Amino acid sequence: MSTHALGRQTVARQILAEISGRAADTIITSTRLSDLGLDSLGRLTLAVLLEERTGRPLPDDELISVRTLDDLERLLRPTERSA
């Protein structure tokens, strides 16, 4: 459902804003998580909050490859394959 996916994208941006202390509207898709000051603890906080708010666990091996908000939003999109 596209509105659900859009909601997840909004959630990702909001969580990054909360963690970094920046306004959500200043975080664009190309914003690097490292530029937001996310260290390993920040990434752990991000993973926990995303799982709580989206109901979808994010495996460490997938989250470690995330560099930008766009990467994160892509990871949160529903996949074509069903498990």
Side-chain angles (χ1 to χ4, degrees):
M1 192 183 283
S2 72
T3 54
H4 191 59
L6 181 58
R8 285 186 175 162
Q9 292 173 6
T10 301
V11 166
R13 188 182 310 259
Q14 289 172 345
I15 291 171
L16 286 173
E18 289 174 31
I19 295 171
S20 69
R22 291 182 53 182
D25 62 352
T26 66
I27 302 173
I28 59 174
T29 57
S30 63
T31 300
R32 295 169 45 106
L33 273 57
S34 60
D35 292 341
L36 296 174
L38 263 70
D39 56 11
S40 57
L41 180 59
R43 282 180 172 267
L44 177 60
T45 302
L46 174 64
V48 169
L49 291 175
L50 280 169
E51 184 172 345
E52 285 176 359
R53 295 183 193 176
T54 65
R56 179 175 178 216
L58 297 174
D60 292 338
D61 61 330
E62 291 181 13
L63 191 58
I64 199 146
S65 66
V66 171
R67 300 285 180 242
T68 65
L69 172 60
D70 186 50
D71 293 341
L72 185 58
E73 289 177 342
R74 227 177 294 130
L75 183 62
L76 291 171
R77 286 186 196 129
T79 59
E80 294 289 320
R81 57 189 151 88
S82 297

